[in-house]
Amino acid sequence: MDETTSMIRGVFAEEARELVAEIEKAVVRLTEQRDATQRRAAIEAVFRATHTLKGAAGSVGLGEVEGLAHTLETVLMPFRDGSVVAPPPLLRGVLRVLDTIPRHVDSCREVDDEPSLNDARTLLQRLAAGEKVVEPLPTLTADDDGRDRTSTRRKVETSGSESEMLRIPLERISRLDARLDAFRELRGSLLNRVRDAQRLLVNLDSTIASGDTEMLKSLRAMASTSYRTLSAALTEFDGNISDFEDELRVTRLVSFDSVTQRISRAVWEHSESVSKPVRFEVHGPALALDRRVLEELKEMLIHLVRNSIDHGIESKEQRKAAKKSETGSIRLTSSPQGQTVLMTLEDDGQGIDVARVKKVAVDRKIISPAQAEVLSQSDAYELLFAAGFSTASTVSMTSGRGVGLDVVREKIRRLGGRITVTSERGKGTKFELDVPISLATEQVLLVQISGFQLAFPISAVERSFRVDAATAAGLEVTHRGQPLSVRKLSTMLGLPDAGVPERQTPVVVVSAGGRLAAFAVDRMLGEREVVTRPLPTGIVHHKHLSSAMSLGDGSLVFMLNVAWLLGAQLDTQVETKGTLRHRILVADDSVTTRAVHRQTLLKAGFDVETAADGEEAFRTLSTRGAELVVSDVRMPNLDGLGLARRIRSSQRFRTLPVILISSLDADTDRERAVQAGASVYITKGEYQPSELVRVVRQLLGLSSEGT
Amino acid sequence: MTDLISRLEQRAERMATAERVEQTGTQLALFRRHGVLYGFAVSDVVSAGRVRSLSPVPGAEVWVAGVTLHLGKLLTLIDIPRLWGEVHRGVFDLPSFLVVTNGRAEIGIVAEQVLGMCDIREEISSWKSTPRPGIHGATRFEEENVLVLGARELLQTSPFSGA
């Protein structure tokens, strides 16, 4: 086969996987629909994707796939208007046939002769004709799932060797490109430093030959500078590498949707096979997790839903007798908790029969009768995770063999997580899987509170809106019929009272564990998809924070622990205030000095903007404005004196107060600062945070209390 | 020739002796903060870095300088004098940090200057004064006092004890 055809078939292989996943999803949806309109919408989705698959297969010369897709359309045609329900055996057959397509397409990437798919076509035709067919194709199980249908990462077998393909959104490639640019820039800078070192070596050689001691001393000083700049470049290099690694790791994240789709199918297939209708619901935010964690989770969750269907959900007759809906329910909720993700799987079945659990445990000699007597309910639940335990009276292909929950717990334990079970007799059973995540992306709502950027997980945000700052005090809003007092988040967190910088106060309504609260924040900064990381040592004990995330520019933002906030807010009575904050611009090339000034001023209740040099400071001033500038003198690009001069020569800012802070303490330095336009000159030696705040307040004409 | 061999042997002996002397001393990673020299045993130190970006932590203690991204991991940077409740006048640049570990957790210690690995010839005496989190002992380096810190002692104090 020529290279071009092979390449095109490689592209088709990827497209085929996506289309198959799409068809599979629509087929599973079709099984869940009860009315004709919804069924029609689902089957239309099946047809759309099948038609695309047929056309694409034809264009790459894969006539067998094209033919199979055509057969698929033909057998599903009678159900296209939604009025007739497609028989489950046929849909099961469709799913089996779909399983074969990706592998078939992969096998054709390097060969001209396409193997026949006649068996698959015949199977579909026989099922469509109403024949009872003993399925020749293997049943999909959690453990032998040979392919990952919907994730962005695929395993492809080619010519006996295994290669892996990765489909990465263009946006992520652009971000990697941007990181590469940073490397290129750094390389240029390193090259200059290396040339400096080369020149130094040449000078050293000639100086050693001449024996000029003074010259040697100055060359030694130059070598020291060169060492420092190279060390700094190395640190920057390390930073760039870690940013690059982050971006690269993100490309390996897989959507949690890919797992829920697999579980959805497993629920439908298993409930069909044991004739227990079950509705499967998925709740939670859009999540992307490390592929390895997802693979493990998929296996565990499939195992648990099958367990629920076998042991939890009652038969139709039993449910009817218990005055329950004939259709059982299984609900999967995912909830990111910062360093872990909590997966809750609940069914509305018969719950766990503790007496029976104890009896089985005694019969199997897991515990003694005396131990069973005193065993608490929660300890009895623990027995379910013992090796060899099963209460199933019949053995099915997937459960009742006493192998399962112990394996699930062991897998969770290996991931560093935990699994617990709770149950209520007659009402249902709930499994909670708390799984650590080394890296995950999450959708967040960024807000500003007292000058800090913080994030709410979108999954916890019920709604956000603005209220007039003047009327916000003591405001009560109603959400889902529940009256909520608007509370100020900065006060709850013990941060300086920020007031509100805008005329309108943003309010965020959040929920967790069935509780609701409304928080006033200073600013709403919008939604973002971010990579979340566990909190580091030294911060972990701060319960109001749950994780941290990098915004890609080196800055970090902390995620608020909504469950903690909701617990804490019950005891806090807070009101919003309609005051405006004064904005201070801090310019300093040292990141720590900036942080020190920023903290000091934030604590004093000011709003703070920062800049790394005079140029950036003036740009920030022009675009965002400020009521006062605090600046270092020695800065790259434009120093503090230059900044003060530019401010004084500007029509717009000529009266703006400027405080210059410098380590230069000679009288001439002070004079130069005043001549440049400084309102106040503070030397670093005499600097004290309280003094800075006092001067700022004085220059802004504020009283000694509040802003 | 005999003279040359003898001289080489003498030199080898001198070098070997010198090596033995070095091995009897202690190596500390020294850094300076508010003019005071501090040191960690080299075995406690994982790496050192320059502060590229520092994010303040809302609601954190005053001795938490902030959090930075270092070698792909989040690292909390703390200020030892402030951890000990010392208040100093003046504003200082904190361009560097040392990363220390107790084998399980890591923490960054901010510094005005990192002097690097230094051979300490004098004995390290154990700390008998007011207890301070992380303090291990004291010694001298080139006529200056050095407060010797221990990562294990530091990371077993209350804010880090979960680590």
Side-chain angles (χ1 to χ4, degrees), chain A residues 17 106 146 153-157 162-165 291:
Chain A
R17 280 173 204 281
D106 284 340
R153 190 180 169 88
R154 313 290 178 199
K155 277 192 169 180
V156 179
E157 306 234 339
E162 192 181 78
S163 64
E164 291 195 321
M165 289 184 72
R291 185 174 187 265

Side-chain angles (χ1 to χ4, degrees), chain A residues 378-393:
Chain A
S378 57
D379 286 341
Y381 293 157
E382 282 297 299
L383 288 170
L384 299 172
F385 297 103
F389 187 92
S390 176
T391 60
S393 49

Side-chain angles (χ1 to χ4, degrees), chain A residues 543-601:
Chain A
K543 299 294 177 209
H544 61 290
L545 306 173
S546 64
S547 62
M549 61 212 73
S550 166
L551 290 186
D553 58 356
S555 63
L556 299 165
V557 169
F558 295 92
M559 181 89 89
L560 290 159
N561 179 350
V562 174
W564 181 89
L565 286 178
L566 265 65
Q569 65 97 31
L570 294 174
D571 308 323
T572 322
Q573 202 62 40
V574 193
E575 291 179 346
T576 55
K577 281 189 203 165
T579 53
L580 289 171
R581 300 181 73 186
H582 295 277
R583 183 178 294 169
I584 315 286
L585 174 62
V586 171
D588 201 303
D589 58 339
S590 157
V591 63
T592 43
T593 309
R594 278 204 304 276
V596 167
H597 293 332
R598 186 168 181 273
Q599 284 289 79
T600 302
L601 294 166

Side-chain angles (χ1 to χ4, degrees), chain A residues 32-284:
Chain A
E32 293 162 353
Q33 306 311 328
R34 296 285 166 263
D35 75 77
T37 315
Q38 288 172 327
R39 272 198 300 269
R40 192 162 56 241
I43 205 155
E44 270 312 311
V46 174
F47 269 86
R48 268 196 307 276
T50 307
H51 193 73
T52 310
L53 179 71
K54 187 166 84 172
S59 68
V60 296
L62 294 180
E64 289 292 320
V65 178
E66 185 184 9
L68 183 59
H70 183 75
T71 307
L72 202 55
E73 288 177 333
T74 309
V75 299
L76 292 176
M77 193 56 86
F79 315 101
R80 194 163 184 176
D81 68 358
S83 60
V84 182
V85 178
L90 174 63
L91 296 182
R92 269 206 302 277
V94 168
L95 291 173
R96 297 288 179 277
V97 163
L98 287 172
D99 289 345
T100 65
I101 294 176
R103 227 168 248 171
H104 174 88
V105 173
D106 284 340
S107 72
C108 299
R109 283 177 61 180
E110 305 288 339
V111 292
D112 286 319
D113 295 330
E114 185 188 8
S116 167
L117 285 171
N118 204 32
D119 285 353
R121 275 201 304 276
T122 308
L123 173 72
L124 286 180
Q125 282 155 351
R126 288 172 63 196
L127 287 168
E131 276 186 52
K132 214 169 182 178
V133 179
V134 179
E135 293 164 19
L137 298 163
T139 305
L140 183 81
T141 70
D143 297 319
D144 66 10
D145 181 5
R147 65 192 178 86
D148 182 357
R149 291 161 185 77
T150 50
S151 77
T152 52
R153 190 180 169 88
R154 313 290 178 199
K155 277 192 169 180
V156 179
E157 306 234 339
T158 41
S159 312
S161 69
E162 192 181 78
S163 64
E164 291 195 321
M165 289 184 72
L166 201 60
R167 229 172 131 89
I168 305 169
L170 200 58
E171 183 208 348
R172 296 231 188 279
I173 297 283
S174 306
R175 284 199 220 164
L176 286 171
D177 263 350
R179 298 284 171 216
L180 267 182
D181 283 344
F183 275 116
R184 286 188 195 105
E185 254 178 55
L186 198 57
R187 187 187 177 278
S189 152
L190 275 170
L191 202 61
N192 287 336
R193 298 288 86 79
V194 169
R195 282 181 188 139
D196 288 348
Q198 264 176 341
R199 275 195 291 273
L200 195 61
L201 272 177
V202 172
N203 281 331
L204 265 173
D205 284 343
S206 59
T207 313
I208 287 167
S210 71
D212 182 344
T213 324
E214 282 309 305
M215 188 63 174
L216 273 174
K217 277 185 190 163
S218 61
L219 285 175
R220 205 251 169 234
M222 282 169 69
S224 171
T225 311
S226 180
Y227 166 75
R228 276 202 304 276
T229 50
L230 275 170
S231 299
L234 187 66
T235 309
E236 202 182 336
F237 199 82
D238 283 343
N240 278 326
I241 285 179
S242 61
D243 286 349
F244 194 81
E245 281 171 344
D246 265 4
E247 289 293 346
L248 213 53
R249 284 193 199 119
V250 169
T251 61
R252 296 195 192 113
L253 296 180
V254 178
S255 160
F256 184 62
D257 274 356
S258 62
V259 168
T260 56
Q261 196 181 319
R262 302 294 310 129
I263 302 167
S264 211
R265 175 175 163 178
V267 168
W268 178 72
E269 286 185 326
H270 198 62
S271 62
E272 276 294 318
S273 71
V274 297
S275 303
K276 289 181 183 176
V278 175
R279 188 177 61 253
F280 179 61
E281 290 172 36
V282 181
H283 299 268

Side-chain angles (χ1 to χ4, degrees), chain A residues 413-429:
Chain A
R413 196 191 59 75
R414 263 188 267 141
L415 284 175
R418 62 178 182 87
I419 179 169
T420 53
V421 59
T422 48
S423 182
E424 197 175 338
R425 199 73 186 116
K427 296 251 173 94
T429 302

Side-chain angles (χ1 to χ4, degrees), chain A residues 391-579:
Chain A
T391 60
S393 49
T394 56
V395 172
S396 74
M397 286 298 286
T398 51
S399 64
R401 290 177 187 276
V403 178
L405 286 181
D406 58 325
V407 177
V408 171
R409 174 168 272 183
E410 177 54 23
K411 283 187 172 178
I412 290 249
R413 196 191 59 75
R414 263 188 267 141
L415 284 175
R418 62 178 182 87
I419 179 169
T420 53
V421 59
T422 48
S423 182
E424 197 175 338
R425 199 73 186 116
K427 296 251 173 94
T429 302
K430 178 160 88 175
F431 283 94
E432 286 190 324
L433 292 81
D434 200 11
V435 186
I437 39 175
S438 56
L439 189 76
T441 59
E442 201 176 334
Q443 205 68 26
V444 298
L445 173 67
L446 284 178
V447 296
Q448 186 171 308
I449 303 157
S450 299
F452 291 102
Q453 278 191 30
L454 289 159
F456 284 105
I458 280 289
S459 54
V461 176
E462 294 265 324
R463 96 189 235 229
S464 63
F465 53 92
R466 288 171 189 276
V467 294
D468 193 283
T471 59
L475 187 73
E476 203 165 79
V477 294
T478 305
H479 182 68
R480 284 198 277 159
Q482 192 176 323
L484 303 168
S485 288
V486 176
R487 302 184 188 281
K488 194 158 188 173
L489 197 48
S490 55
T491 316
M492 276 198 66
L493 299 178
L495 298 174
D497 186 10
V500 279
E502 313 291 346
R503 299 278 174 198
Q504 295 245 302
T505 300
V507 174
V508 184
V509 178
V510 291
S511 68
R515 281 194 293 200
L516 284 168
F519 294 116
V521 298
D522 297 346
R523 271 191 215 155
M524 208 87 84
L525 303 170
E527 286 182 31
R528 284 218 20 198
E529 187 196 17
V530 293
V531 177
T532 54
R533 294 157 175 281
L535 294 173
T537 304
I539 305 295
V540 176
H541 61 287
H542 288 289
K543 299 294 177 209
H544 61 290
L545 306 173
S546 64
S547 62
M549 61 212 73
S550 166
L551 290 186
D553 58 356
S555 63
L556 299 165
V557 169
F558 295 92
M559 181 89 89
L560 290 159
N561 179 350
V562 174
W564 181 89
L565 286 178
L566 265 65
Q569 65 97 31
L570 294 174
D571 308 323
T572 322
Q573 202 62 40
V574 193
E575 291 179 346
T576 55
K577 281 189 203 165
T579 53

